[in-house]
Amino acid sequence: MTTRTRTDLCPGVSRPWPAEDGGLVRLRLVGGAVTAGQLRALAAVSATYGDGDLHLTRRANVQVRALPLVDDVLPAEVVAALAATGLLPSPTHELVRNVLVSPLTGLVGGRADLRGVAADLDAAVRADADLADLSARFLFVLDDGRGDVLARSADVGLVALDGGTVQLRWGTTWGPVLPVGDAAGAMVRVAHAFRAARAALDLGNEAPWHVDELPGSLEVPGLPATPPDPRLPAATDPRRTASSTRLPVSTGTSRCPTVTSNRAPWPSCSTAWPTRTASS
């Protein structure tokens, strides 16, 4: 069991990180989905209040740096400007909307289009008041069967076996094979089971952040541990998948690899998104 000495410190609008250059804020993009209009609006916020750049993280979220702080809190006008981008749909749950999805799902390749599952999962998490106290490091990982995010450490996740079925997983444990339509609800049940197991430890700020930090295997009522399905794919490198795929330009909802097509397709936390890229 991993013993924590504090709660996590992952930044958000409600909890900016006081960096040397000012406030750092992270906005969660579920499955990396973001519209051109939202990026333009966020670029304008960064140009007005921050360093003028948008920074992409390894979890396909976006950060704004060098924001003003008053007693380590963002001024109300900055919060209002960030909320107006449409990228803060739930102030109470902003820190726990951590959903990583195969970047090209529904665009090209993969066994299943998981965009709907990601959206349903996000809606279910935001509608559940109890899940607002999950760690901001708690991560949902959805692999569409190509194996590109299979190697990522997941607290709860799934892997598509074909167009209609997925295998659930939590931590290093594999769960049952389910219809894709049941996946979002099942993942929420796992999150609740983790939350209950963590609370039972009564450790306060030293409570685990992740499923595999629990002292034993997490048991989820009605979702038995199951051997890995033979149809599970091998893990692949998402950077190679994205860099070798041609995508059409769209004015609708974009995913991070298409938005940052002039840069590495799987940028690191230090990669900056110039405002001119977001506005183009």
Side-chain angles (χ1 to χ4, degrees):
M1 174 180 169
T2 299
T3 301
R4 298 290 181 180
T5 58
R6 56 169 175 78
T7 57
D8 73 90
L9 300 175
C10 286
V13 175
S14 62
R15 190 173 69 184
W17 176 255
E20 291 184 1
D21 58 350
L24 184 155
V25 163
R26 181 174 301 154
L27 294 158
R28 275 70 178 175
L29 307 180
V30 171
V34 60
T35 68
Q38 288 171 328
L39 279 178
R40 283 192 290 267
L42 191 59
V45 173
S46 182
T48 301
Y49 301 103
D51 66 359
D53 288 339
L54 303 182
H55 304 260
L56 191 64
T57 76
R58 290 186 182 276
R59 291 186 175 189
N61 295 318
V62 65
Q63 295 180 166
V64 181
R65 301 186 63 102
L67 295 170
L69 294 176
V70 178
D71 295 330
D72 292 338
V73 176
L74 293 175
E77 65 178 292
V78 179
V79 174
L82 290 167
T85 66
L87 296 174
L88 190 65
S90 175
T92 58
H93 289 67
E94 63 150 336
L95 299 176
V96 300
R97 299 175 60 241
N98 299 299
V99 184
L100 183 67
V101 187
S102 294
L104 302 182
T105 191
L107 300 176
V108 63
R111 295 173 177 173
D113 182 351
L114 297 182
R115 291 177 294 182
V117 177
D120 289 346
L121 173 62
D122 180 45
V125 169
R126 287 189 282 115
D128 195 320
D130 289 340
L131 296 184
D133 67 359
L134 287 172
S135 164
R137 299 294 298 172
F138 193 89
L139 181 63
F140 296 90
V141 178
L142 283 59
D143 191 298
D144 69 0
R146 75 185 79 212
D148 55 355
V149 292
L150 183 58
R152 292 297 299 263
S153 297
D155 290 296
V156 188
L158 59 80
V159 180
L161 303 177
D162 54 42
T165 57
V166 299
Q167 184 163 22
L168 199 63
R169 62 169 176 153
W170 51 89
T172 55
T173 299
W174 287 99
V177 173
L178 302 170
V180 69
D182 295 341
M187 287 187 286
V188 167
R189 289 169 61 188
V190 177
H192 274 287
F194 167 74
R195 183 176 175 276
R198 184 186 64 176
L201 297 174
D202 195 23
L203 293 176
N205 289 341
E206 299 178 1
W209 299 352
H210 300 291
V211 167
D212 281 342
E213 293 175 357
L214 293 170
S217 298
L218 178 64
E219 295 186 5
V220 184
L223 297 174
T226 307
D229 192 281
R231 293 170 290 175
L232 287 171
T236 60
D237 187 338
R239 293 170 295 184
R240 293 184 179 181
T241 301
S243 61
S244 63
T245 302
R246 300 174 68 91
L247 294 174
V249 175
S250 171
T251 58
T253 299
S254 301
R255 292 189 175 272
C256 296
T258 52
V259 172
T260 60
S261 58
N262 64 327
R263 293 178 176 268
W266 199 261
S268 68
C269 291
S270 61
T271 298
W273 246 343
T275 53
R276 62 180 180 274
T277 299
S279 303
S280 61

